[in-house]
Amino acid sequence: DASNLERHLYLTAQLLEMQIPLIIALNMTDIAKRRGIHINIQYLSRLLTCPIIPLIAIRDIGMTELRQALTIPLSIQSTLPYPFDPLLQNALETLKKTLPPHKVPPQWLACRLLEGDAIACLYVTKEEHIFAQSLIQQIKAECGEEVDLLIADARYTWIQSILKKSIGQQSGE
């Protein structure tokens, strides 16, 4: 939803963590334009390291371009586009090193484990889960913050940076 980009960029951040090929279908661009929101789509695409297809789906505008984009092989971003607090980043790296190879990306799995995600726990042994819990407690003791809040803060800080660089109000920046 182009008219409510901040909320949807949070999901985009989580998808980028999964290190999967990604195309963004940016719908409701007409509503965003009516609200005076100008999105520099090419610049936003570069910042997010994935193609963005503007749509007005209700009028079938952009659907041909989206179908065409789906036929083009995509590259996968290997690093996160945003930094975490050094303490959190160290914990993520430590946890990633202890995890055996999985069918899911290690960065995503480590991040989700530190967020306390129950589904991520299904991918690890009891010992790995206990180790992740000990890292969570260690970070909380050192920072005085919940780890999931630190991760969310890093995502929202990145989103605000993206919005400042690629969104203009009325002036068409």
Side-chain angles (χ1 to χ4, degrees), residues 98-117:
T98 66
L99 298 173
H102 288 90
K103 292 181 181 179
V104 297
Q107 176 74 28
W108 175 84
L109 182 57
C111 194
R112 299 302 294 175
L113 286 169
L114 291 178
E115 286 180 294
D117 184 284

Side-chain angles (χ1 to χ4, degrees), residues 15-72:
L15 292 171
L16 288 170
E17 289 168 11
M18 293 181 76
Q19 297 175 312
I20 58 174
L22 189 62
I23 295 174
I24 295 175
L26 187 61
N27 196 23
M28 300 171 67
T29 54
D30 56 332
I31 293 172
K33 188 175 182 178
R34 269 187 270 156
R35 291 182 182 169
I37 301 169
H38 172 76
I39 303 169
N40 184 332
I41 292 173
Q42 282 124 354
Y43 190 61
L44 183 59
S45 176
R46 280 200 316 265
L47 292 172
L48 297 177
T49 66
C50 64
I52 298 176
I53 310 301
L55 303 175
I56 305 173
I58 198 165
R59 293 193 203 129
D60 203 32
I61 296 173
M63 298 306 288
T64 301
E65 293 82 357
L66 179 59
R67 283 186 206 96
Q68 183 180 5
L70 291 170
T71 66
I72 300 169

Side-chain angles (χ1 to χ4, degrees), residues 62-89:
M63 298 306 288
T64 301
E65 293 82 357
L66 179 59
R67 283 186 206 96
Q68 183 180 5
L70 291 170
T71 66
I72 300 169
L74 298 171
S75 62
I76 298 172
Q77 181 69 15
S78 60
T79 59
L80 286 179
Y82 49 89
F84 285 121
D85 172 88
L87 180 65
L88 180 57
Q89 187 62 45

